[in-house]
Amino acid sequence: MSNLVNDWHVSVIRAAMYTDSYGSSYIREPQVKQTVKLIVDEAIRNDVYVIVDWHILEDGNPNRYKEQAKKFFEEMAETYRGSPNVIYEICNEPNGTNVTWREIKSYAEFIIPAIRAIDPDSVIIVGTGTWCQDVRAAAAAPLNFTNVLYALHFYAGTHRGDLRRNADFALSQNLPIFVSEWGLTDYTGKGGLYFDEGQRWVDWMNEHKISWASWSFSNADEASAALKPTVKMDGPWRASDLTPSGKWIKSRIQAD
């Protein structure tokens, strides 16, 4: 991680822990939380922010495993109580036909008090509907908690001006937004790279002073990954180790 901090100049790391997707995930293998703790500890040592991400995807509705989520976040809050580095992202990309903001809000009203009972000053990111795109609904009925941010996600090949206009509306209603995931590809993370549209999004985020985390710093065999599939994750990383996406994202982080 020191290479990311000293060379890339990152100020935030997102530790995405799948909850019930893609094989190794918390519901099936709770021990994966130890990897999250290693990342959090390393971020604290390097004095950067770290997002503890309850990474819902295929499980869709955050209420499906809300008791497990409560237990997980209580443990994390007990471990990192009072650390200004740690941010809790309580539900990545809620999705599904019946997963409305009302459902998500109910989940947040269950999880946030559990965290705040232990770590009262913590910053919390709440996912929004339709894979974190429906910030309009959240703006119409925001949560009654302080220090809460609302997640907006986009992929440059799929999400463009319409989503920015929705986000502009949410911002006009004073909804605080954090872009906790975005990429240069389409929503699959694969295919081509859309640099021009990616730059439009970066300009928009800079204009509104919105913080962001790019998907993903990994060696996954997909265009959105920052590292080539043959590169080891332990670094340090040379320019030749980076994918075209990785090189472009690094340049934007350094520019900011």
Side-chain angles (χ1 to χ4, degrees):
M1 190 176 294
S2 59
N3 184 251
L4 285 174
V5 175
N6 298 324
D7 180 25
W8 288 54
H9 302 163
V10 304
S11 57
V12 60
I13 301 288
R14 184 180 187 230
M17 182 191 72
Y18 283 105
T19 51
D20 192 19
S21 306
Y22 303 118
S24 180
S25 54
Y26 180 80
I27 298 303
R28 304 177 202 181
E29 299 178 9
Q31 66 269 25
V32 301
K33 67 185 177 185
Q34 300 305 328
T35 301
V36 174
K37 289 181 177 180
L38 289 174
I39 294 169
V40 174
D41 292 342
E42 191 68 12
I44 292 172
R45 275 195 291 272
N46 283 275
D47 196 25
V48 293
Y49 292 106
V50 57
I51 300 170
V52 176
D53 169 29
W54 183 257
H55 201 81
I56 293 164
L57 195 58
E58 292 181 332
D59 32 336
N61 190 329
N63 289 292
R64 181 175 179 183
Y65 296 119
K66 71 176 187 178
E67 293 293 345
Q68 292 92 331
K70 180 175 180 284
K71 181 179 178 181
F72 170 78
F73 282 111
E74 285 175 335
E75 179 177 342
M76 289 294 164
E78 287 282 2
T79 304
Y80 299 108
R81 180 201 320 250
S83 171
N85 305 72
V86 179
I87 300 169
Y88 303 101
E89 185 171 11
I90 62 173
C91 53
N92 170 75
E93 298 195 352
N95 65 89
T97 305
N98 298 315
V99 183
T100 64
W101 173 243
R102 183 177 179 180
E103 286 277 302
I104 300 163
K105 189 176 183 180
S106 171
Y107 166 81
E109 290 171 338
F110 178 73
I111 297 295
I112 292 173
I115 296 172
R116 292 281 170 78
I118 301 166
D119 198 359
D121 298 322
S122 57
V123 175
I124 294 172
I125 301 173
V126 181
T128 55
T130 318
W131 293 274
C132 284
Q133 293 158 46
D134 195 4
V135 288
R136 266 183 173 266
L143 290 153
N144 190 27
F145 297 100
T146 58
N147 285 353
V148 168
L149 300 166
Y150 298 81
L152 173 70
H153 291 181
F154 62 84
Y155 282 83
T158 303
H159 310 111
R160 303 192 176 191
D162 286 348
L163 184 55
R164 281 194 291 276
R165 283 187 286 274
N166 282 338
D168 283 336
F169 173 81
L171 290 169
S172 76
Q173 303 303 301
N174 297 316
L175 192 81
I177 288 175
F178 193 115
V179 175
S180 56
E181 181 177 324
W182 74 278
L184 290 168
T185 62
D186 66 16
Y187 75 95
T188 67
K190 301 178 181 179
L193 300 175
Y194 296 81
F195 296 110
D196 290 345
E197 193 61 33
Q199 187 61 52
R200 291 187 187 97
W201 274 109
V202 169
D203 291 342
W204 179 85
M205 290 187 288
N206 287 341
E207 177 188 353
H208 295 290
K209 296 180 171 59
I210 291 174
S211 298
W212 54 264
S214 172
W215 187 271
S216 65
F217 192 81
S218 73
N219 57 3
D221 188 13
E222 57 185 32
S224 62
L227 300 177
K228 295 176 181 177
T230 55
V231 173
K232 294 182 179 180
M233 286 295 297
D234 53 1
W237 306 280
R238 301 163 296 180
S240 59
D241 295 328
L242 305 183
T243 64
S245 176
K247 291 176 182 177
W248 195 90
I249 293 295
K250 179 183 178 182
S251 72
R252 296 312 181 273
I253 293 172
Q254 291 177 325
D256 287 343

